[in-house]
């Protein structure tokens, strides 16, 4: 059995500086942060990475992951994986999140060349990360090569590396039954969850409105074995209105759900 740990994605508040995000996460009783590479901890700024790591330690917050925007197999990204690796080391991140293939291309429309290129790139990235004791995880996202359970399993099988894993998050409009089936299918490869509540049309809603959806899924994931030596996080993302007050409410909701689940085990 594995207890899920509540955390936060820094990209939830791109307009806030790292110090404000750290203070907010600590106030909300969250235990760790996934730091985004696009605004808060840029790959070339090692000094910021080290400073953010120190401030998180002082606040009692774990560094969960480094959320990069590297697109495996794509040559149009502005980030070099070697730079991302160095930034992750400076940050003390145990995991790096990357994207599967070029964003904006669904797995069903990707060419064989795109899929093979991504698998080859992922194999090399996973090996380099493993040599530094860092795991590599795929963003689970629409219009990528990792946009569903079938696509995810196919890509992971093609990449063939034990250090390659995947996140999971719901696409707008997915049913509980579909979500549960996806999680079951990728369970052996699952690292963390991105947790948010959207309507089918993509409107952001209070997390509490998603209780009937999220609570059975959190229970399902809590029953899985955790990755060896590393806790699995439920990371809040996309709060309504990008509002810190909304995060306070959503964090309380998530913490209560996880605490109730832990008590029932």
């Amino acid at each position: 059995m594995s207890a899920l740990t509540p955390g936060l994605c820094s990209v939830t508040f791109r307009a806030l500086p790292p110090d404000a995000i750290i203070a907010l996460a600590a106030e909300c009783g969250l235990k760790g942060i996934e730091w985004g590479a696009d605004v808060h901890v840029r790959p070339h700024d090692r000094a910021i990475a080290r400073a953010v790591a120190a401030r998180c330690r002082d606040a009692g917050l774990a560094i969960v992951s480094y959320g990069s925007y590297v697109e495996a197999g794509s040559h149009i990204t502005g980030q070099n994986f070697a730079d991302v690796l160095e930034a992750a080391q400076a940050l003390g991140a145990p995991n790096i999140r990357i994207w599967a293939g070029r964003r904006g291309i669904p797995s069903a429309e990707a060419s064989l060349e795109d899929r093979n290129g991504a698998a080859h790139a992922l194999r090399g990235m996973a090996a380099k990360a493993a040599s530094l004791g860092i795991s590599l995880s795929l963003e689970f996202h629409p219009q990528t090569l990792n946009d569903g359970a079938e696509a995810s399993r196919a890509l992971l099988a093609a990449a063939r590396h034990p250090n390659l894993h995947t996140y999971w998050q719901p696409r707008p409009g997915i049913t509980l039954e579909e979500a549960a089936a996806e999680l079951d299918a990728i369970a052996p490869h699952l690292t963390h969850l991105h947790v948010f509540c959207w309507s089918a049309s993509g409107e952001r809603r209070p997390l509490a409105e998603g209780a009937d959806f999220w609570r059975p899924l959190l229970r399902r994931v809590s029953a899985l074995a955790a990755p060896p030596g590393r806790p699995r996080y439920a990371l809040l993302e996309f709060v309504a209105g990008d509002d810190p007050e909304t995060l306070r409410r959503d964090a309380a909701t998530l913490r209560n759900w996880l605490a109730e689940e832990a008590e029932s085990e």
Side-chain angles (χ1 to χ4, degrees):
M1 298 289 284
S2 161
L4 274 164
T5 303
L8 174 67
C9 294
S10 78
V11 297
T12 305
F13 297 106
R14 285 186 170 96
L16 295 182
D19 282 351
I21 291 171
I22 290 168
L24 184 59
E27 176 198 338
C28 290
L30 302 175
K31 302 302 182 183
I33 299 176
E34 175 182 276
W35 288 99
D38 57 340
V39 174
H40 296 119
V41 183
R42 297 182 189 275
H44 295 93
D45 201 334
R46 312 287 190 269
I48 288 293
R50 288 189 289 268
V52 166
R55 290 165 187 162
C56 282
R57 284 194 298 271
D58 291 344
L61 292 168
I63 305 291
V64 177
S65 181
Y66 186 43
S68 85
Y69 288 83
V70 168
E71 300 174 2
S74 170
H75 300 292
I76 60 174
T77 179
Q79 294 183 14
N80 180 289
F81 188 64
D83 293 330
V84 167
L85 272 177
E86 290 186 18
Q89 286 182 283
L91 185 61
N95 180 75
I96 295 172
R97 177 177 54 77
I98 61 173
W99 293 72
R102 289 181 290 163
R103 287 184 287 168
I105 300 179
S107 61
E109 297 177 13
S111 67
L112 179 61
E113 181 181 6
D114 286 338
R115 292 195 294 271
N116 288 343
H120 177 76
L122 288 168
R123 192 177 310 124
M125 291 175 184
K128 290 176 182 176
S131 71
L132 299 173
I134 298 172
S135 60
L136 193 69
S137 298
L138 299 172
E139 172 82 1
F140 192 92
H141 201 280
Q143 298 198 10
T144 69
L145 294 178
N146 198 40
D147 58 4
E150 183 178 346
S152 187
R153 293 178 65 181
L155 183 58
L156 290 163
R160 301 192 313 278
H161 201 286
N163 193 43
L164 182 63
H165 314 279
T166 185
Y167 280 36
W168 184 84
Q169 69 182 42
R171 62 183 179 274
I174 191 173
T175 66
L176 173 60
E177 291 73 21
E178 291 169 333
E182 284 191 344
L183 280 168
D184 287 349
I186 65 171
H189 311 285
L190 180 67
T191 43
H192 305 301
L193 304 175
H194 281 168
V195 177
F196 51 87
C197 183
W198 283 11
S199 70
S201 63
E203 179 190 3
R204 299 182 188 186
R205 305 297 303 163
L207 186 62
E209 292 185 11
D212 290 342
F213 178 84
W214 273 111
R215 295 188 75 173
L217 298 181
L218 295 173
R219 186 175 308 119
R220 212 175 194 94
V221 176
S222 293
L224 301 175
R230 294 178 180 174
R232 180 177 282 124
Y233 279 79
L235 297 163
L236 288 166
E237 188 179 32
F238 300 136
V239 300
D242 297 331
D243 185 354
E245 188 56 39
T246 303
L247 177 70
R248 292 182 178 96
R249 291 193 294 268
D250 284 359
T253 296
L254 178 61
R255 287 190 295 104
N256 288 338
W257 290 347
L258 295 179
E260 289 171 7
E261 183 56 38
E263 289 173 1
S264 69
E265 291 180 0

